[in-house]
Amino acid sequence: MFDINEILDLSHTIAAPLFEGKQYPWEVLPDIGDFILKVGPTLPEDEYEKRGEDIWIAKDAKVFDSAYITGPCIIGHKTEVRHCAFLRGKIIVGDNAVVGNSTELKNVIIFDNVQVPHYNYVGDSVLGFKSHMGAGSITSNVKSDKTLTAVRYDGGKLETGLKKFGAIIGDYVEVGCGSVLNPASVIGRNSQIYPLSMIRGYVPANSIYKKQGEVATKI
């Protein structure tokens, strides 16, 4: 249930080769920076502009002057990075995405057509195709006791070996406003999270998450 292809459609990201040979999607997190440094210099110069150190931005992307971006970073075609967004390295943002005002990104892969449009924090995470994080929703990427993360699910837990791991958000997932995704959260494809939710562990695909212990199946 945690296999990459069960959660993410890799045809909608430039980072697809990074997932090759891996079983679980969070296994890519330690390698995002190196992947960008490898791929960035190969991007076509008629489509991407190199801005600053190890930053490649598609020429048809719209980046507000007030946005702050450090490398390594790739920003895709027709993506919009809005006022006071803070992108602090090891970031791949796909095509037709929205990174909103005062949104902070760090060590993430954002697939095509993803929206993180208002006051979001996304760290050490992967956001699948056409997923959307409502205003003020965030990923919490480090446990309070600083121990290694594990994905919890009915019947057990799966150790990740990672200290920093926010969330894997599947394709077409809707995260409601003001929600918190605790470390090592995995949300299956096509699921919906109610506003003000606190997620911990695994939410199956095609689910409606209302609150802890109350998860309905979409009909």
Side-chain angles (χ1 to χ4, degrees), residues 2-190:
F2 299 131
D3 285 358
I4 292 167
N5 292 325
E6 293 295 320
I7 302 173
L8 303 167
D9 182 347
L10 298 181
S11 68
H12 293 291
T13 177
I14 196 174
L18 182 54
F19 291 83
E20 293 177 1
K22 298 178 174 65
Q23 181 176 6
Y24 303 122
W26 54 84
E27 293 175 355
V28 304
L29 295 176
D31 302 324
I32 295 173
D34 289 341
F35 179 80
I36 295 171
L37 293 175
K38 179 180 178 181
V39 171
T42 71
L43 296 172
E45 294 184 1
D46 59 334
E47 296 182 27
Y48 287 83
E49 178 183 359
K50 191 171 187 291
R51 301 189 192 178
E53 187 174 357
D54 302 325
I55 299 171
W56 292 268
I57 299 177
K59 293 183 178 180
D60 56 358
K62 181 178 181 180
V63 179
F64 281 53
D65 291 340
S66 57
Y68 182 90
I69 304 173
T70 60
C73 177
I74 296 173
I75 296 174
H77 290 288
K78 297 183 178 179
T79 282
E80 186 172 327
V81 182
R82 293 176 176 167
H83 177 65
C84 288
F86 181 27
L87 283 64
R88 55 186 179 98
K90 300 181 181 178
I91 296 165
I92 298 172
V93 182
D95 299 339
N96 301 298
V98 174
V99 180
N101 59 303
S102 303
T103 291
E104 180 179 354
L105 305 180
K106 171 253 179 186
N107 197 48
V108 297
I109 298 174
I110 291 180
F111 280 41
D112 299 340
N113 296 82
V114 170
Q115 293 191 359
V116 281
H118 309 288
Y119 309 108
N120 305 107
Y121 172 67
V122 186
D124 300 285
S125 299
V126 178
L127 277 58
F129 178 62
K130 281 193 174 181
S131 60
H132 171 259
M133 294 186 69
S137 59
I138 65 170
T139 64
S140 174
N141 59 336
V142 181
K143 294 171 64 177
S144 58
D145 62 4
K146 307 300 188 293
T147 58
L148 298 181
T149 59
V151 181
R152 297 183 180 276
Y153 61 97
D154 288 343
K157 65 179 181 178
L158 181 59
E159 301 289 346
T160 70
L162 300 173
K163 180 180 178 181
K164 293 187 177 183
F165 170 20
I168 305 297
I169 299 178
D171 303 328
Y172 302 102
V173 165
E174 289 282 341
V175 179
C177 296
S179 295
V180 176
L181 280 56
N182 281 285
S185 292
V186 178
I187 304 175
R189 182 182 280 133
N190 197 39

